[in-house]
Amino acid sequence: MTEASGYGPQGRSKWLDIDWREHLRWVHVEGTWANVAEIGSGPTVLFVHGLGGSWQNWLENLPDVAEAGYRAVAVDLPGFGRSEMPREKISISGYGRWVDALCEAIDAAPVALVGNSMGGFIGAEAAIRFPARVERLVLVSAAGISVEEQRNDRAMAALYRTERVGMMVGTWAAARSDRFARRPGLRRALLRYVAAHGDRLPAALVAEQIRGTGTPGFLPAVDALTSYPIRDRLSEIAAPTLVVWGADDKLVPLRDADVFEELIPDARKVVFDDTGHVAMFERPVRFNRLLCDFLAEKPGEEVDETSEAAVGD
C-alpha cells in the first residue's frame, strides 16, 4: 500500500544506516549551547523544525541532500530537542536573529533555508531581516498567517498553568517512544493532527519524532507564534521561495499557502495530495526530488510543476 501510493519512505531509509553520533555536535550560539546535526559538504542547506519538533524531523531528507552535493545542517532550536533554552524570552524575531548567529558560528555562507511550520515562520523572518544570509527559502506548511488570528490570552494563561503537567507527559512519552511507535494504532493517534496516515509511517521514524517532545520551549513558542504578525512584511523577501503544502494539513490551512505565494515576490507553490503537515517525511521521495531540483536551479529558472518531481510518484 505504501509503495503504491508513494506515502512514507520507499524501501529502507538511508538514515537508518548512518551513525548520527559522528554527525552531531554542540555549537555555542548567543550564550547557550545548540545541538546541531551536519552531513555532507558543499553549499549549506539549513533545516529548521517546527513547534514541538527537533532536528530528527529531517531524517528522511538530510542524506539525500548531502548526496546531492550539499552541506545539510539541521538544528534543535533553543528550548527544543537537546538545545538549551535561550537567555531571553522566546520570540520569532529572536529565533530569526539566532539563525543568523548560528550560520556565523558554523561558518556558513549564504544558505538555502528549509523550514517546516514554525520553522518556516522563522525562515521567513530570517529572510526579511538578513537578506544576505538567505539565498533560497523553502516553506513547508509554514506558520505565520492564520496563526495571527488565533491568539487567546485566557487560553494561553491556562496552558501556562498546566505547563508542568504537559512537560511531564511529554517527557514520559519521549522515554517510551520505541514502545509506542511499534503499534500502528498509537502511531496514528500520536500523529493524528500532523500526518495524514501516521499508522503507515515506519515505527523507527515515528519513534524519532516522539523522542524530541516534552521540551521547555513549547509553550513560550506558542505564545511567540501568536503575537508576531508577518503578513505585511512578506513582500520584503528577496530570495526565490518554494512553498510546499499538504492538501490535508490539519494544523495550517492550505489557504495560507496561497497567501505566501501571492505576497512573496519570487514564490511558487506545490501542493501534495493526501498529505498532512509534514510533507518532508510523509512524502520524502517526492519532497527530496523537488527540493534538490529547486536548489540546483540557475537564476531565472523554475521547477517545472508538471515534472515528475512536482507531480509525485
Side-chain angles (χ1 to χ4, degrees), residues 65-96:
V65 172
E67 287 181 5
Y70 298 93
R71 176 194 188 192
V73 179
V75 302
D76 285 342
L77 288 167
F80 290 91
R82 297 177 64 196
S83 292
E84 294 181 316
M85 284 286 284
R87 290 186 171 184
E88 62 181 37
K89 181 181 178 181
I90 286 177
S91 67
I92 298 301
S93 61
Y95 273 150

PDB file of all heavy atoms in Angstrom, residues 65-96:
ATOM      1  N   VAL A  65      20.003  15.128   0.499  1.00  0.00           N
ATOM      2  CA  VAL A  65      20.545  16.452   0.202  1.00  0.00           C
ATOM      3  C   VAL A  65      22.066  16.423   0.252  1.00  0.00           C
ATOM      4  O   VAL A  65      22.747  17.029  -0.592  1.00  0.00           O
ATOM      5  CB  VAL A  65      19.966  17.502   1.174  1.00  0.00           C
ATOM      6  CG1 VAL A  65      20.665  18.844   1.019  1.00  0.00           C
ATOM      7  CG2 VAL A  65      18.463  17.661   0.931  1.00  0.00           C
ATOM      8  N   ALA A  66      22.618  15.692   1.209  1.00  0.00           N
ATOM      9  CA  ALA A  66      24.075  15.552   1.281  1.00  0.00           C
ATOM     10  C   ALA A  66      24.611  14.842   0.035  1.00  0.00           C
ATOM     11  O   ALA A  66      25.626  15.247  -0.540  1.00  0.00           O
ATOM     12  CB  ALA A  66      24.473  14.797   2.544  1.00  0.00           C
ATOM     13  N   GLU A  67      23.938  13.777  -0.404  1.00  0.00           N
ATOM     14  CA  GLU A  67      24.374  13.043  -1.589  1.00  0.00           C
ATOM     15  C   GLU A  67      24.297  13.896  -2.847  1.00  0.00           C
ATOM     16  O   GLU A  67      25.036  13.663  -3.816  1.00  0.00           O
ATOM     17  CB  GLU A  67      23.527  11.785  -1.766  1.00  0.00           C
ATOM     18  CG  GLU A  67      23.833  10.684  -0.762  1.00  0.00           C
ATOM     19  CD  GLU A  67      23.003   9.453  -0.985  1.00  0.00           C
ATOM     20  OE1 GLU A  67      22.239   9.404  -1.984  1.00  0.00           O
ATOM     21  OE2 GLU A  67      23.098   8.513  -0.164  1.00  0.00           O
ATOM     22  N   ALA A  68      23.409  14.893  -2.843  1.00  0.00           N
ATOM     23  CA  ALA A  68      23.269  15.779  -3.999  1.00  0.00           C
ATOM     24  C   ALA A  68      24.356  16.845  -4.055  1.00  0.00           C
ATOM     25  O   ALA A  68      24.375  17.667  -4.982  1.00  0.00           O
ATOM     26  CB  ALA A  68      21.888  16.438  -3.983  1.00  0.00           C
ATOM     27  N   GLY A  69      25.257  16.861  -3.056  1.00  0.00           N
ATOM     28  CA  GLY A  69      26.383  17.780  -3.096  1.00  0.00           C
ATOM     29  C   GLY A  69      26.252  18.996  -2.214  1.00  0.00           C
ATOM     30  O   GLY A  69      26.864  20.031  -2.499  1.00  0.00           O
ATOM     31  N   TYR A  70      25.505  18.845  -1.120  1.00  0.00           N
ATOM     32  CA  TYR A  70      25.294  19.972  -0.218  1.00  0.00           C
ATOM     33  C   TYR A  70      25.736  19.624   1.199  1.00  0.00           C
ATOM     34  O   TYR A  70      25.805  18.446   1.578  1.00  0.00           O
ATOM     35  CB  TYR A  70      23.821  20.388  -0.198  1.00  0.00           C
ATOM     36  CG  TYR A  70      23.327  20.856  -1.540  1.00  0.00           C
ATOM     37  CD1 TYR A  70      22.709  19.971  -2.417  1.00  0.00           C
ATOM     38  CD2 TYR A  70      23.486  22.186  -1.939  1.00  0.00           C
ATOM     39  CE1 TYR A  70      22.262  20.390  -3.670  1.00  0.00           C
ATOM     40  CE2 TYR A  70      23.047  22.617  -3.186  1.00  0.00           C
ATOM     41  CZ  TYR A  70      22.440  21.710  -4.039  1.00  0.00           C
ATOM     42  OH  TYR A  70      22.014  22.131  -5.278  1.00  0.00           O
ATOM     43  N   ARG A  71      26.013  20.651   1.966  1.00  0.00           N
ATOM     44  CA  ARG A  71      26.249  20.523   3.399  1.00  0.00           C
ATOM     45  C   ARG A  71      24.883  20.657   4.068  1.00  0.00           C
ATOM     46  O   ARG A  71      24.314  21.738   4.142  1.00  0.00           O
ATOM     47  CB  ARG A  71      27.191  21.631   3.863  1.00  0.00           C
ATOM     48  CG  ARG A  71      27.459  21.684   5.350  1.00  0.00           C
ATOM     49  CD  ARG A  71      28.119  23.021   5.694  1.00  0.00           C
ATOM     50  NE  ARG A  71      28.586  23.087   7.064  1.00  0.00           N
ATOM     51  CZ  ARG A  71      28.986  24.219   7.654  1.00  0.00           C
ATOM     52  NH1 ARG A  71      28.964  25.374   6.967  1.00  0.00           N
ATOM     53  NH2 ARG A  71      29.387  24.203   8.905  1.00  0.00           N
ATOM     54  N   ALA A  72      24.338  19.543   4.516  1.00  0.00           N
ATOM     55  CA  ALA A  72      22.996  19.523   5.100  1.00  0.00           C
ATOM     56  C   ALA A  72      23.105  19.665   6.609  1.00  0.00           C
ATOM     57  O   ALA A  72      23.719  18.829   7.276  1.00  0.00           O
ATOM     58  CB  ALA A  72      22.277  18.233   4.735  1.00  0.00           C
ATOM     59  N   VAL A  73      22.498  20.725   7.153  1.00  0.00           N
ATOM     60  CA  VAL A  73      22.589  21.043   8.571  1.00  0.00           C
ATOM     61  C   VAL A  73      21.182  21.139   9.150  1.00  0.00           C
ATOM     62  O   VAL A  73      20.336  21.860   8.608  1.00  0.00           O
ATOM     63  CB  VAL A  73      23.336  22.375   8.805  1.00  0.00           C
ATOM     64  CG1 VAL A  73      23.392  22.708  10.297  1.00  0.00           C
ATOM     65  CG2 VAL A  73      24.739  22.329   8.208  1.00  0.00           C
ATOM     66  N   ALA A  74      20.924  20.421  10.213  1.00  0.00           N
ATOM     67  CA  ALA A  74      19.640  20.513  10.913  1.00  0.00           C
ATOM     68  C   ALA A  74      19.909  20.830  12.380  1.00  0.00           C
ATOM     69  O   ALA A  74      20.872  20.329  12.961  1.00  0.00           O
ATOM     70  CB  ALA A  74      18.852  19.213  10.792  1.00  0.00           C
ATOM     71  N   VAL A  75      19.068  21.650  12.970  1.00  0.00           N
ATOM     72  CA  VAL A  75      19.316  22.133  14.325  1.00  0.00           C
ATOM     73  C   VAL A  75      18.135  21.828  15.240  1.00  0.00           C
ATOM     74  O   VAL A  75      17.005  21.663  14.790  1.00  0.00           O
ATOM     75  CB  VAL A  75      19.571  23.658  14.332  1.00  0.00           C
ATOM     76  CG1 VAL A  75      20.750  23.996  13.448  1.00  0.00           C
ATOM     77  CG2 VAL A  75      18.327  24.438  13.887  1.00  0.00           C
ATOM     78  N   ASP A  76      18.435  21.753  16.536  1.00  0.00           N
ATOM     79  CA  ASP A  76      17.405  21.861  17.565  1.00  0.00           C
ATOM     80  C   ASP A  76      17.351  23.333  17.957  1.00  0.00           C
ATOM     81  O   ASP A  76      18.337  23.895  18.447  1.00  0.00           O
ATOM     82  CB  ASP A  76      17.776  21.038  18.808  1.00  0.00           C
ATOM     83  CG  ASP A  76      17.607  19.540  18.611  1.00  0.00           C
ATOM     84  OD1 ASP A  76      16.910  19.142  17.670  1.00  0.00           O
ATOM     85  OD2 ASP A  76      18.199  18.775  19.403  1.00  0.00           O
ATOM     86  N   LEU A  77      16.235  23.977  17.723  1.00  0.00           N
ATOM     87  CA  LEU A  77      16.095  25.374  18.123  1.00  0.00           C
ATOM     88  C   LEU A  77      16.247  25.509  19.639  1.00  0.00           C
ATOM     89  O   LEU A  77      15.968  24.559  20.381  1.00  0.00           O
ATOM     90  CB  LEU A  77      14.725  25.911  17.704  1.00  0.00           C
ATOM     91  CG  LEU A  77      14.514  26.151  16.210  1.00  0.00           C
ATOM     92  CD1 LEU A  77      13.034  26.364  15.920  1.00  0.00           C
ATOM     93  CD2 LEU A  77      15.338  27.349  15.716  1.00  0.00           C
ATOM     94  N   PRO A  78      16.664  26.666  20.133  1.00  0.00           N
ATOM     95  CA  PRO A  78      16.761  26.871  21.583  1.00  0.00           C
ATOM     96  C   PRO A  78      15.436  26.544  22.275  1.00  0.00           C
ATOM     97  O   PRO A  78      14.372  27.018  21.869  1.00  0.00           O
ATOM     98  CB  PRO A  78      17.093  28.362  21.702  1.00  0.00           C
ATOM     99  CG  PRO A  78      17.818  28.679  20.437  1.00  0.00           C
ATOM    100  CD  PRO A  78      17.143  27.845  19.374  1.00  0.00           C
ATOM    101  N   GLY A  79      15.511  25.692  23.296  1.00  0.00           N
ATOM    102  CA  GLY A  79      14.308  25.285  24.014  1.00  0.00           C
ATOM    103  C   GLY A  79      13.666  24.028  23.464  1.00  0.00           C
ATOM    104  O   GLY A  79      12.661  23.555  24.010  1.00  0.00           O
ATOM    105  N   PHE A  80      14.247  23.449  22.395  1.00  0.00           N
ATOM    106  CA  PHE A  80      13.689  22.250  21.775  1.00  0.00           C
ATOM    107  C   PHE A  80      14.781  21.196  21.618  1.00  0.00           C
ATOM    108  O   PHE A  80      15.972  21.507  21.603  1.00  0.00           O
ATOM    109  CB  PHE A  80      13.070  22.565  20.414  1.00  0.00           C
ATOM    110  CG  PHE A  80      11.817  23.384  20.509  1.00  0.00           C
ATOM    111  CD1 PHE A  80      11.872  24.765  20.477  1.00  0.00           C
ATOM    112  CD2 PHE A  80      10.587  22.768  20.663  1.00  0.00           C
ATOM    113  CE1 PHE A  80      10.717  25.535  20.588  1.00  0.00           C
ATOM    114  CE2 PHE A  80       9.431  23.516  20.778  1.00  0.00           C
ATOM    115  CZ  PHE A  80       9.487  24.904  20.739  1.00  0.00           C
ATOM    116  N   GLY A  81      14.338  19.937  21.468  1.00  0.00           N
ATOM    117  CA  GLY A  81      15.310  18.867  21.343  1.00  0.00           C
ATOM    118  C   GLY A  81      16.262  18.869  22.523  1.00  0.00           C
ATOM    119  O   GLY A  81      15.848  18.927  23.677  1.00  0.00           O
ATOM    120  N   ARG A  82      17.559  18.889  22.237  1.00  0.00           N
ATOM    121  CA  ARG A  82      18.570  18.889  23.296  1.00  0.00           C
ATOM    122  C   ARG A  82      19.200  20.265  23.497  1.00  0.00           C
ATOM    123  O   ARG A  82      20.086  20.415  24.347  1.00  0.00           O
ATOM    124  CB  ARG A  82      19.652  17.860  22.954  1.00  0.00           C
ATOM    125  CG  ARG A  82      19.137  16.424  22.904  1.00  0.00           C
ATOM    126  CD  ARG A  82      20.235  15.462  22.495  1.00  0.00           C
ATOM    127  NE  ARG A  82      21.305  15.431  23.491  1.00  0.00           N
ATOM    128  CZ  ARG A  82      22.517  14.933  23.258  1.00  0.00           C
ATOM    129  NH1 ARG A  82      22.810  14.449  22.052  1.00  0.00           N
ATOM    130  NH2 ARG A  82      23.435  14.935  24.190  1.00  0.00           N
ATOM    131  N   SER A  83      18.775  21.247  22.707  1.00  0.00           N
ATOM    132  CA  SER A  83      19.362  22.583  22.849  1.00  0.00           C
ATOM    133  C   SER A  83      18.861  23.267  24.115  1.00  0.00           C
ATOM    134  O   SER A  83      17.715  23.064  24.549  1.00  0.00           O
ATOM    135  CB  SER A  83      19.019  23.454  21.632  1.00  0.00           C
ATOM    136  OG  SER A  83      19.674  22.987  20.479  1.00  0.00           O
ATOM    137  N   GLU A  84      19.709  24.098  24.694  1.00  0.00           N
ATOM    138  CA  GLU A  84      19.349  24.832  25.895  1.00  0.00           C
ATOM    139  C   GLU A  84      18.301  25.902  25.589  1.00  0.00           C
ATOM    140  O   GLU A  84      18.168  26.360  24.453  1.00  0.00           O
ATOM    141  CB  GLU A  84      20.586  25.504  26.493  1.00  0.00           C
ATOM    142  CG  GLU A  84      21.627  24.538  27.020  1.00  0.00           C
ATOM    143  CD  GLU A  84      22.816  25.269  27.624  1.00  0.00           C
ATOM    144  OE1 GLU A  84      23.303  26.251  27.035  1.00  0.00           O
ATOM    145  OE2 GLU A  84      23.263  24.846  28.702  1.00  0.00           O
ATOM    146  N   MET A  85      17.574  26.300  26.612  1.00  0.00           N
ATOM    147  CA  MET A  85      16.667  27.437  26.485  1.00  0.00           C
ATOM    148  C   MET A  85      17.476  28.706  26.205  1.00  0.00           C
ATOM    149  O   MET A  85      18.601  28.846  26.695  1.00  0.00           O
ATOM    150  CB  MET A  85      15.846  27.632  27.760  1.00  0.00           C
ATOM    151  CG  MET A  85      14.721  26.644  27.923  1.00  0.00           C
ATOM    152  SD  MET A  85      13.325  26.972  26.804  1.00  0.00           S
ATOM    153  CE  MET A  85      12.548  28.388  27.626  1.00  0.00           C
ATOM    154  N   PRO A  86      16.919  29.641  25.436  1.00  0.00           N
ATOM    155  CA  PRO A  86      17.647  30.890  25.209  1.00  0.00           C
ATOM    156  C   PRO A  86      17.680  31.737  26.471  1.00  0.00           C
ATOM    157  O   PRO A  86      16.874  31.548  27.385  1.00  0.00           O
ATOM    158  CB  PRO A  86      16.824  31.563  24.102  1.00  0.00           C
ATOM    159  CG  PRO A  86      15.446  31.039  24.292  1.00  0.00           C
ATOM    160  CD  PRO A  86      15.620  29.614  24.764  1.00  0.00           C
ATOM    161  N   ARG A  87      18.591  32.688  26.517  1.00  0.00           N
ATOM    162  CA  ARG A  87      18.704  33.566  27.682  1.00  0.00           C
ATOM    163  C   ARG A  87      17.551  34.557  27.757  1.00  0.00           C
ATOM    164  O   ARG A  87      17.176  34.997  28.832  1.00  0.00           O
ATOM    165  CB  ARG A  87      20.036  34.314  27.633  1.00  0.00           C
ATOM    166  CG  ARG A  87      21.234  33.415  27.882  1.00  0.00           C
ATOM    167  CD  ARG A  87      22.514  34.224  27.971  1.00  0.00           C
ATOM    168  NE  ARG A  87      23.628  33.407  28.424  1.00  0.00           N
ATOM    169  CZ  ARG A  87      24.844  33.892  28.653  1.00  0.00           C
ATOM    170  NH1 ARG A  87      25.094  35.178  28.461  1.00  0.00           N
ATOM    171  NH2 ARG A  87      25.805  33.090  29.061  1.00  0.00           N
ATOM    172  N   GLU A  88      17.005  34.920  26.616  1.00  0.00           N
ATOM    173  CA  GLU A  88      15.910  35.877  26.585  1.00  0.00           C
ATOM    174  C   GLU A  88      14.608  35.157  26.269  1.00  0.00           C
ATOM    175  O   GLU A  88      14.602  33.973  25.908  1.00  0.00           O
ATOM    176  CB  GLU A  88      16.176  36.955  25.538  1.00  0.00           C
ATOM    177  CG  GLU A  88      16.288  36.416  24.125  1.00  0.00           C
ATOM    178  CD  GLU A  88      16.568  37.494  23.108  1.00  0.00           C
ATOM    179  OE1 GLU A  88      17.322  38.424  23.420  1.00  0.00           O
ATOM    180  OE2 GLU A  88      16.025  37.391  21.992  1.00  0.00           O
ATOM    181  N   LYS A  89      13.503  35.854  26.414  1.00  0.00           N
ATOM    182  CA  LYS A  89      12.193  35.279  26.113  1.00  0.00           C
ATOM    183  C   LYS A  89      12.140  34.817  24.658  1.00  0.00           C
ATOM    184  O   LYS A  89      12.610  35.513  23.759  1.00  0.00           O
ATOM    185  CB  LYS A  89      11.102  36.318  26.374  1.00  0.00           C
ATOM    186  CG  LYS A  89       9.685  35.812  26.112  1.00  0.00           C
ATOM    187  CD  LYS A  89       8.663  36.910  26.380  1.00  0.00           C
ATOM    188  CE  LYS A  89       7.246  36.417  26.072  1.00  0.00           C
ATOM    189  NZ  LYS A  89       6.234  37.475  26.310  1.00  0.00           N
ATOM    190  N   ILE A  90      11.562  33.643  24.441  1.00  0.00           N
ATOM    191  CA  ILE A  90      11.426  33.125  23.082  1.00  0.00           C
ATOM    192  C   ILE A  90      10.535  34.032  22.252  1.00  0.00           C
ATOM    193  O   ILE A  90       9.461  34.446  22.694  1.00  0.00           O
ATOM    194  CB  ILE A  90      10.862  31.688  23.109  1.00  0.00           C
ATOM    195  CG1 ILE A  90      11.943  30.706  23.574  1.00  0.00           C
ATOM    196  CG2 ILE A  90      10.332  31.275  21.741  1.00  0.00           C
ATOM    197  CD1 ILE A  90      11.472  29.272  23.701  1.00  0.00           C
ATOM    198  N   SER A  91      10.995  34.342  21.050  1.00  0.00           N
ATOM    199  CA  SER A  91      10.228  35.161  20.113  1.00  0.00           C
ATOM    200  C   SER A  91      10.617  34.786  18.690  1.00  0.00           C
ATOM    201  O   SER A  91      11.703  34.231  18.456  1.00  0.00           O
ATOM    202  CB  SER A  91      10.498  36.654  20.341  1.00  0.00           C
ATOM    203  OG  SER A  91      11.841  36.982  20.015  1.00  0.00           O
ATOM    204  N   ILE A  92       9.755  35.064  17.736  1.00  0.00           N
ATOM    205  CA  ILE A  92      10.074  34.782  16.340  1.00  0.00           C
ATOM    206  C   ILE A  92      11.234  35.655  15.884  1.00  0.00           C
ATOM    207  O   ILE A  92      12.146  35.192  15.191  1.00  0.00           O
ATOM    208  CB  ILE A  92       8.846  34.988  15.442  1.00  0.00           C
ATOM    209  CG1 ILE A  92       7.727  34.016  15.845  1.00  0.00           C
ATOM    210  CG2 ILE A  92       9.216  34.781  13.969  1.00  0.00           C
ATOM    211  CD1 ILE A  92       8.080  32.552  15.766  1.00  0.00           C
ATOM    212  N   SER A  93      11.229  36.911  16.277  1.00  0.00           N
ATOM    213  CA  SER A  93      12.338  37.792  15.900  1.00  0.00           C
ATOM    214  C   SER A  93      13.649  37.305  16.517  1.00  0.00           C
ATOM    215  O   SER A  93      14.705  37.334  15.866  1.00  0.00           O
ATOM    216  CB  SER A  93      12.051  39.231  16.330  1.00  0.00           C
ATOM    217  OG  SER A  93      11.906  39.320  17.738  1.00  0.00           O
ATOM    218  N   GLY A  94      13.586  36.834  17.765  1.00  0.00           N
ATOM    219  CA  GLY A  94      14.778  36.299  18.422  1.00  0.00           C
ATOM    220  C   GLY A  94      15.290  35.048  17.731  1.00  0.00           C
ATOM    221  O   GLY A  94      16.506  34.875  17.561  1.00  0.00           O
ATOM    222  N   TYR A  95      14.375  34.174  17.328  1.00  0.00           N
ATOM    223  CA  TYR A  95      14.786  32.977  16.605  1.00  0.00           C
ATOM    224  C   TYR A  95      15.401  33.340  15.248  1.00  0.00           C
ATOM    225  O   TYR A  95      16.361  32.707  14.801  1.00  0.00           O
ATOM    226  CB  TYR A  95      13.589  32.052  16.392  1.00  0.00           C
ATOM    227  CG  TYR A  95      13.313  31.085  17.533  1.00  0.00           C
ATOM    228  CD1 TYR A  95      12.016  30.657  17.792  1.00  0.00           C
ATOM    229  CD2 TYR A  95      14.342  30.574  18.324  1.00  0.00           C
ATOM    230  CE1 TYR A  95      11.747  29.752  18.810  1.00  0.00           C
ATOM    231  CE2 TYR A  95      14.081  29.674  19.343  1.00  0.00           C
ATOM    232  CZ  TYR A  95      12.772  29.262  19.585  1.00  0.00           C
ATOM    233  OH  TYR A  95      12.511  28.359  20.602  1.00  0.00           O
ATOM    234  N   GLY A  96      14.837  34.347  14.581  1.00  0.00           N
ATOM    235  CA  GLY A  96      15.411  34.778  13.308  1.00  0.00           C
ATOM    236  C   GLY A  96      16.839  35.273  13.487  1.00  0.00           C
ATOM    237  O   GLY A  96      17.733  34.936  12.701  1.00  0.00           O
TER     238      GLY A  96
END
